[in-house]
Amino acid sequence: MSGAHFLGTAVVPGKSSERFSQRKRQTPQREMAPNTPNPAAPWNSRTAGHVEHDLAYYGKCLVGGILACGLTHALVTPLDVTKCNMQVNPQKYKGLVSGLKTIAAEEGSRAVWKGWAPTLLGYSAQGAFKYGLYEVFKDFYSNLAGKENSEKYKGLIWCAGSASAEFFADVALCPLEMVKVKIQTSVPGSFPTAFGPALAKMSAERAVTGFPFGSLTPLWSRQIPYTVAKFYFFEKVVQFFYTNVFTKPKSEYSKTTQLSITFASGYTAGIICAIVSHPADSLVSLMSKPVNKGKSLGQIASETGAKNLLTKGLGTRVLMIGTLTGLQWWIYDSFKTAMGMGTSGGK
C-alpha cells in the first residue's frame, strides 16, 4: 500500500496533526469560568456578584463583624460611660467633657473604662450576627423576590435583611449589655465593676435585675431601627457616591479611595442611626436605675418626659455613634478587601 492507511481512511503524513489541532480549537469549551452563571439555571443572588456567597463567604463576613463591632465599641467605652450617666442622672452629668471630669474626679481615671469587658464580648457577638446574617438574609430575600423585583425593591430588601439579622444579634448581646449598663451607671461602691463579679451578681439577683433577657424588648426597640438605618443609609450613601461623585466603575478606583468612601458613608449613616434610636437607648439606660425597678417602659418614659428621652446625651451619642459606625464599616470592608471579597455597596 502506498501512503498510510488506518481503518480504510487515508491519513496524509504531516496533515493529520494539523487537522486535529483545528478540530480542537473549534470544539466549544464546556468548562465555564468560576462563578459564571449557567444560562439554564434560575437566577440566584448568591452567585450573581463577582464573588460567590458560599458558606466560606458568610463565615468571613461573620469574622469581619466581630472585628468591626467588638473593637470599636470597646474603643469608645469612655464616651459610652458618660452618655449612660447623662441619661440616668442628667442633673449631675450635664455634658460630655464635664461628665468625664466628674467621673474621673470621683472614681479615678480608670472609671471611664468601666464595663469595657462586657462591651467587647457583647458587641463582638452582636457584630457576628449583625454582619454575617445580614448577608445571608439579603440573599434569601433577594431570591424570594426574584431578579427583577430584587433590583426594583432593593431598599426594602436591605431593610428586611438588616432587621432580621439584628433580631438574632440582640439575643446574643442582651445579657452582656445588661451587665455593662449596670456596671457603668451604678452608684460607686454599690455594684462590682469587674466583669466576673458583676456577671455573678446579676445572675444571683436575677429576680431583681431581670437578667439575662429583661432588657431584650427595649434593646430590640433601640437596635433594630438603628441597624435598619445603619445598613439602609450606608448602602444609599455609597450608591450616591458611586453614581454622582465617583462615576467610573468602582473597580477602577484604588482600595484607599473605596475605603474612604466606606468610612464617609458609614459616618453619615451613624449620625442618622443615633437620632433614630436615641429614645430607646435612653430607656435601656434608665431601666438600670434602682428607682425604676418593676416599672413598665411606658411608666419610665412618662416620668422621664419626651424632651429628656429625645435630647439628654444625644450630642454625645451622635459623636459616639457617628465615629463608631464609620469605623465599623471601615474595619469590616478592610477585612473583606484583605480576604479578596471587595468593599461593600455600590456597583
Side-chain angles (χ1 to χ4, degrees):
M1 294 175 63
S2 62
H5 288 76
F6 181 70
L7 295 178
T9 303
V11 178
V12 179
K15 296 290 186 180
S16 60
S17 60
E18 182 180 342
R19 289 197 192 100
F20 177 76
S21 298
Q22 289 174 345
R23 286 198 302 271
K24 186 175 181 182
R25 287 195 296 270
Q26 294 169 359
T27 302
Q29 293 294 322
R30 296 185 180 275
E31 292 185 7
M32 293 189 297
N35 206 37
T36 299
N38 184 350
W43 179 82
N44 190 332
S45 175
R46 293 180 61 185
T47 56
H50 71 284
V51 177
E52 182 179 356
H53 293 185
D54 53 12
L55 289 178
Y57 176 90
Y58 295 136
K60 290 172 184 175
C61 291
L62 183 149
V63 174
I66 291 173
L67 296 173
C69 291
L71 294 176
T72 51
H73 276 276
L75 181 66
V76 298
T77 296
L79 294 178
D80 196 24
V81 171
T82 308
K83 180 264 301 177
C84 287
N85 280 283
M86 288 170 66
Q87 292 169 330
V88 171
N89 192 350
Q91 291 76 28
K92 182 175 181 179
Y93 304 97
K94 299 178 184 289
L96 173 59
V97 176
S98 62
L100 280 169
K101 288 180 178 179
T102 300
I103 294 168
E106 293 184 354
E107 305 174 52
S109 58
R110 295 178 61 183
V112 298
W113 291 97
K114 290 188 299 184
W116 72 267
T119 297
L120 176 64
L121 295 174
Y123 283 94
S124 292
Q126 186 219 32
F129 285 97
K130 183 199 296 276
Y131 282 92
L133 287 184
Y134 173 65
E135 300 291 344
V136 173
F137 279 116
K138 189 165 65 169
D139 285 333
F140 174 74
Y141 292 130
S142 293
N143 285 334
L144 281 182
K147 183 178 181 180
E148 291 184 8
N149 284 332
S150 67
E151 185 65 31
K152 184 177 180 180
Y153 301 108
K154 186 180 291 184
L156 290 177
I157 288 172
W158 295 337
C159 292
S162 56
S164 300
E166 189 61 39
F167 179 89
F168 293 100
D170 290 341
V171 176
L173 170 64
C174 187
L176 291 155
E177 177 75 355
M178 291 183 72
V179 175
K180 173 194 82 76
V181 172
K182 190 69 174 175
I183 289 173
Q184 291 177 340
T185 61
S186 294
V187 175
S190 66
F191 193 81
T193 55
F195 174 55
L199 180 64
K201 189 173 179 64
M202 286 286 287
S203 182
E205 299 178 358
R206 63 180 61 209
V208 176
T209 61
F211 186 82
F213 297 112
S215 293
L216 186 56
T217 298
L219 197 59
W220 277 330
S221 300
R222 180 188 81 184
Q223 288 297 137
I224 290 178
Y226 164 85
T227 299
V228 168
K230 172 180 180 175
F231 282 83
Y232 177 82
F233 286 106
F234 171 80
E235 298 269 18
K236 275 292 188 184
V237 175
V238 171
Q239 193 176 66
F240 173 84
F241 275 126
Y242 284 115
T243 302
N244 299 286
V245 182
F246 300 88
T247 54
K248 293 188 296 184
K250 179 179 175 180
S251 59
E252 294 186 19
Y253 293 102
S254 68
K255 296 304 177 186
T256 300
T257 299
Q258 291 186 37
L259 289 172
S260 297
I261 293 169
T262 289
F263 179 79
S265 302
Y267 203 103
T268 303
I271 293 172
I272 299 170
C273 293
I275 296 169
V276 167
S277 61
H278 188 69
D281 181 67
S282 298
L283 286 174
V284 171
S285 298
L286 288 165
M287 284 182 68
S288 67
K289 291 182 71 173
V291 70
N292 288 327
K293 183 183 69 174
K295 294 180 181 179
S296 67
L297 290 176
Q299 187 177 357
I300 296 172
S302 177
E303 292 176 357
T304 305
K307 182 179 178 181
N308 284 333
L309 285 176
L310 289 168
T311 62
K312 289 301 179 182
L314 179 59
T316 300
R317 191 157 192 267
V318 165
L319 175 63
M320 182 181 88
I321 298 299
T323 304
L324 183 145
T325 306
L327 283 174
Q328 281 182 357
W329 278 111
W330 185 85
I331 292 171
Y332 181 66
D333 270 5
S334 294
F335 179 79
K336 285 180 66 180
T337 299
M339 293 291 104
M341 298 156 67
T343 56
S344 302
K347 297 178 182 179

